[in-house]
Amino acid sequence: MNQPLSSPLAPATGDTPRRIAIVSASWHRDIVQNAVEGFRTECERQRPGQCQVEQLEVPGAFEIPLHLQRLARSGRYDALVACGLVVNGGIYRHEFVASAVIDALMRIQLDTGVPVFSVVLTPRDFHAHEEHLNFFRTHFITKGQEAAQACLATLDSLAQLPA
C-alpha cells in the first residue's frame, strides 16, 4: 500500500546531529576554503547546533574520491561533500580530471548509499589575476551554501524513504 510521504524539505525527526565530512583540495586553498566556510555557515543558519562538519584536506581534486569512498564505507557520516577547483593549467586537459572526479563521486554515493555533494568546479576560464580570484572566492561561498542546502534537503527526504 502506498503511503504519502511527508514534505521532503521537512526536517528529519529526532535530535541526532547530522554527521557530514568535507574533503577539500588544497590546490587553490584560498578559493576552495570559501566553499567549506559557506557550507558550514549555511548548515549552522538552517540547523543551529545540528550539523557536525569535519574537514579533511587532500592535495588536489583527483585525490578526493578515494578519501570520500573510505569515509562513506566507514559508516560514520550521513553525507559527504567534495570541494575543489580544477583549472586549465595548460599541461593536460582539465576536463578529464573534472569528469573523472564527478563520475567517481556519483559512483560512491550509488555504491554506498551515502549522499555525496560536489563543489568541485571547473570554470571555462580562470586566470590568476585579482578580478578572477575575487570572483571565484565569492562564487565558492555561494556554491558552499547551495551544497549545504541540497545536503540538508536530501538528508531530510532520504529519512522519509524506506532503507
Side-chain angles (χ1 to χ4, degrees), residues 19-24 39 61 64-73 77-84 100-120 143 146-155 158:
R19 297 166 306 170
I20 302 166
I22 298 175
V23 177
S24 63
F39 187 94
I64 291 172
L66 180 59
H67 288 78
L68 286 178
Q69 182 184 55
R70 289 207 180 168
L71 293 172
R73 288 179 178 167
Y77 299 97
D78 298 305
L80 303 169
V81 182
C83 295
V101 171
I102 298 303
D103 290 348
L105 299 183
M106 180 58 73
R107 191 176 75 243
I108 291 165
Q109 78 173 347
L110 293 176
D111 289 350
T112 66
V114 178
V116 177
F117 301 88
S118 176
V119 187
V120 176
K143 291 301 171 186
E146 291 171 355
Q149 293 163 2
C151 177
L152 294 174
T154 299
L155 289 174
L158 287 173

Side-chain angles (χ1 to χ4, degrees), residues 45-101:
R45 186 188 72 74
Q46 283 198 30
R47 309 280 169 80
Q50 290 300 302
C51 296
Q52 295 176 348
V53 180
E54 298 177 24
Q55 180 185 3
L56 174 66
E57 195 171 77
V58 297
F62 201 74
E63 290 77 28
I64 291 172
L66 180 59
H67 288 78
L68 286 178
Q69 182 184 55
R70 289 207 180 168
L71 293 172
R73 288 179 178 167
S74 76
R76 293 182 54 204
Y77 299 97
D78 298 305
L80 303 169
V81 182
C83 295
L85 177 62
V86 181
V87 301
N88 184 353
I91 298 172
Y92 58 86
R93 294 294 303 250
H94 65 291
E95 297 94 345
F96 296 142
V97 173
S99 179
V101 171

Side-chain angles (χ1 to χ4, degrees), residues 8-9 12 17 21 31 58 62 75 121 125 141:
L9 297 179
I31 294 171
V58 297
F62 201 74
L121 304 183
D125 296 309
I141 293 169

